Amino acid sequence: MSELSQQIDRLDQEDVLAEFCARFVPDVLGVNYLDGNSLGRLSHDARAAIVSTIDDEWGNELIRGWEHWTELSSQLGETLGSQLLGAAPGQVVVSDSTSVNLYKAILSALSLLPDRKVLVADINDFPTDRFILEGIAASNGLELRLIASSMNEPVGPDEFAPYLDDDVAVVVMSQVNYRSGALNDLARLAYVTHSVGALLVADLSHSVGAVPIALDADDVDFAVGCTYKYVNGGPGSPAFLYARERLQSELTQPIWGWFSAADQFQMGLRYEPVPGIGRFLVGTPPVLQLAALKGALGVVCDAGIERIRQKSVIQTELAIELFDAHLAPQGFRLASPRDPAKRGGHVTFEHSEALSFSSSLFSDHRVLVDYRVPNRIRFAPSPLYTSFAQVYEGVMALSKLAAR
Ligand SMILES: Cc1ncc(COP(=O)(O)O)c(C=O)c1O
């Protein structure tokens, strides 16, 4: 057995999260799944929660289920806030999609700074972030400034400061870049944003459940994010929205639905929002998806975000060590930061044949990764269910394909 194989065996034997793998439903093909930053695996708890919500609650409680289903959005918001987001109570709800929550957060921030006319975002951020901003800019006569970031490294305050002035109302920024995995420093971004009196909306889609987050301590104003990636809530699992407590009573949320009305069942003529974070709710929530998320989130909380991050860093370090030894000599380039403090949960390799390699990885080796245009392969070990051996096998399978 080589020294490397021994090292990988030891890492798996000493893995304090190893037992969590059994909390996920194995797929029939026995896939080496390195795509948990797109869609997390199905856990037994999520599955059981959906089945019991269907059979016990929908089937037996019928309409009476709403007596407790209406609480799910805020209950899950509190759990996410306290366990994963570093948010004190009363600042997070789960509802709608990340795109819709971005729309609500940006327009709410704008309602607090109505005289300012500029929005700022990273040109390399996820398309929905840019599109939502473009639409808001077009329909409100605002200017959208896009930071020409380097993408493969965090957006530094020096890179971002030239786009800021007293006319900027809102800055939108992902904590972890979806293509490179670069991890932005939220506290510094918030500090620089606030230095011109603007508000920060953070997209945490690629960091929640992978990286410890401290929204209150970092002084972030608004945040949104997906729950179907590292939180494993399932396809279409609703997103979360965080709004700083001190801003809530002043802002106007743009989508006035009956679920945030103070007198929901009075069926009143005038809209008056509930006090607090509940004002961000809109309409009937997807109860089965919320049930799945409740089950899935319990697994993440049992593991604890600090332990998840520790394992994630060792796994991405291993992937980069293997990249240096086996992929770089075959023409691959690393498109993620080398410094683990500047990296989220995935690493990205570039190669001109990335598209065909990613499909052959699955057809020939049962390794499932993510391809991103034009030439990127994302490797996302998910510490709750990915072993160190799987990280090794994934990189070595790619190396074998390139050597053919
Ligand atoms: C950074 C980021 N923001 C937003 C989204 C999309 O959110 P949704 O389609 O759930 O609205 C994604 C999806 O992958 C994402 O990666």
Side-chain angles (χ1 to χ4, degrees), residues 50-65 68-69 287-288:
I50 300 182
V51 171
S52 118
T53 304
I54 292 175
D55 290 345
D56 305 336
E57 298 183 11
W58 179 15
N60 286 319
E61 294 177 13
L62 300 166
I63 190 95
R64 289 175 303 130
H68 55 95
W69 292 333
V287 172
L288 299 182

Side-chain angles (χ1 to χ4, degrees), residues 97-99 126 128-129 174 178 203 205-206 226 228-229:
S97 64
T98 300
S99 305
F126 191 76
T128 215
D129 300 55
S174 278
Y178 77 105
D203 184 339
S205 295
H206 280 272
C226 304
Y228 46 75
K229 298 175 184 290

Side-chain angles (χ1 to χ4, degrees), residues 11-12 15 34 308-322 343 345 347 380-392 395:
L11 283 168
D12 276 326
D15 176 8
L34 297 170
I308 290 173
R309 173 67 174 163
Q310 271 168 21
K311 180 170 170 187
S312 167
V313 167
I314 304 172
Q315 291 194 314
T316 53
E317 287 289 90
L318 174 64
I320 292 176
E321 195 183 317
L322 293 166
R343 197 172 63 232
V347 288
S382 195
L384 294 177
Y385 49 78
T386 308
S387 67
F388 290 91
Q390 286 176 314
V391 174
Y392 173 76
V395 178

Side-chain angles (χ1 to χ4, degrees), residues 37-38 96-102 125-129 132 174-178 203-206 224-229 236-239 372 378:
N37 65 339
S38 278
D96 308 304
S97 64
T98 300
S99 305
V100 172
N101 283 342
L102 259 174
D125 215 331
F126 191 76
T128 215
D129 300 55
I132 296 282
S174 278
Q175 187 177 17
V176 170
N177 182 279
Y178 77 105
D203 184 339
L204 310 177
S205 295
H206 280 272
V224 297
C226 304
T227 57
Y228 46 75
K229 298 175 184 290
S237 179
R372 278 287 172 265
R378 299 191 305 190

Side-chain angles (χ1 to χ4, degrees), residues 99-403:
S99 305
V100 172
N101 283 342
L102 259 174
Y103 180 81
K104 289 187 281 180
I106 296 164
L107 277 161
S108 300
L110 277 167
S111 77
L112 297 166
L113 296 167
D115 297 330
R116 294 183 173 223
K117 300 283 173 229
V118 178
L119 307 169
V120 173
D122 177 358
I123 198 165
N124 289 307
D125 215 331
F126 191 76
T128 215
D129 300 55
R130 290 181 283 106
F131 297 159
I132 296 282
L133 281 160
E134 256 185 67
I136 289 175
S139 55
N140 291 274
L142 306 176
E143 178 194 346
L144 173 60
R145 292 181 189 159
L146 293 174
I147 302 168
S149 71
S150 61
M151 186 186 354
N152 292 352
E153 288 293 326
V155 180
D158 296 346
E159 210 173 0
F160 152 59
Y163 295 83
L164 298 181
D165 57 36
D166 290 353
D167 218 12
V168 175
V170 183
V171 173
V172 175
M173 196 76 75
S174 278
Q175 187 177 17
V176 170
N177 182 279
Y178 77 105
R179 279 199 278 191
S180 67
L183 173 61
N184 284 317
D185 180 341
L186 283 186
R188 289 180 78 187
L189 293 182
Y191 179 81
V192 180
T193 301
H194 294 159
S195 70
V196 293
L199 294 164
L200 178 65
V201 178
D203 184 339
L204 310 177
S205 295
H206 280 272
S207 49
V208 64
V211 173
I213 298 168
L215 291 176
D216 290 352
D218 287 351
D219 209 12
V220 174
D221 302 296
F222 296 87
V224 297
C226 304
T227 57
Y228 46 75
K229 298 175 184 290
Y230 295 105
V231 184
N232 312 311
S237 179
F240 62 85
L241 185 151
Y242 161 93
R244 204 67 197 268
E245 203 259 329
R246 63 176 143 75
L247 304 174
Q248 289 172 13
S249 60
E250 306 296 322
L251 58 81
T252 307
Q253 193 271 101
I255 310 178
W256 296 7
W258 71 314
F259 265 69
S260 60
D263 55 357
Q264 185 177 6
F265 287 101
Q266 294 305 311
M267 307 298 181
L269 280 181
R270 278 192 61 251
Y271 174 77
E272 185 64 41
V274 287
I277 191 71
R279 68 185 49 208
F280 282 95
L281 297 178
V282 179
T284 305
V287 172
L288 299 182
Q289 294 274 198
L290 288 171
L293 176 57
K294 191 172 178 179
L297 186 55
V299 180
V300 178
C301 294
D302 287 349
I305 191 63
E306 297 295 338
R307 292 199 300 173
I308 290 173
R309 173 67 174 163
Q310 271 168 21
K311 180 170 170 187
S312 167
V313 167
I314 304 172
Q315 291 194 314
T316 53
E317 287 289 90
L318 174 64
I320 292 176
E321 195 183 317
L322 293 166
F323 161 86
D324 286 335
H326 301 279
L327 299 182
Q330 300 196 78
F332 287 87
R333 289 170 305 280
L334 181 66
S336 298
R338 279 190 176 270
D339 177 355
K342 294 183 178 171
R343 197 172 63 232
H346 69 271
V347 288
T348 303
F349 306 131
E350 277 182 343
H351 194 285
S352 53
E353 290 179 62
L355 178 57
S356 76
F357 286 158
S358 40
S359 65
S360 303
L361 269 177
F362 183 65
S363 56
D364 299 3
H365 296 275
R366 291 285 178 268
V367 176
L368 200 45
V369 293
D370 206 44
Y371 164 75
R372 278 287 172 265
V373 286
N375 58 359
R376 290 174 175 238
I377 294 176
R378 299 191 305 190
F379 261 66
S382 195
L384 294 177
Y385 49 78
T386 308
S387 67
F388 290 91
Q390 286 176 314
V391 174
Y392 173 76
E393 284 155 14
V395 178
M396 295 316 287
L398 189 53
S399 168
K400 272 189 209 137
L401 285 175

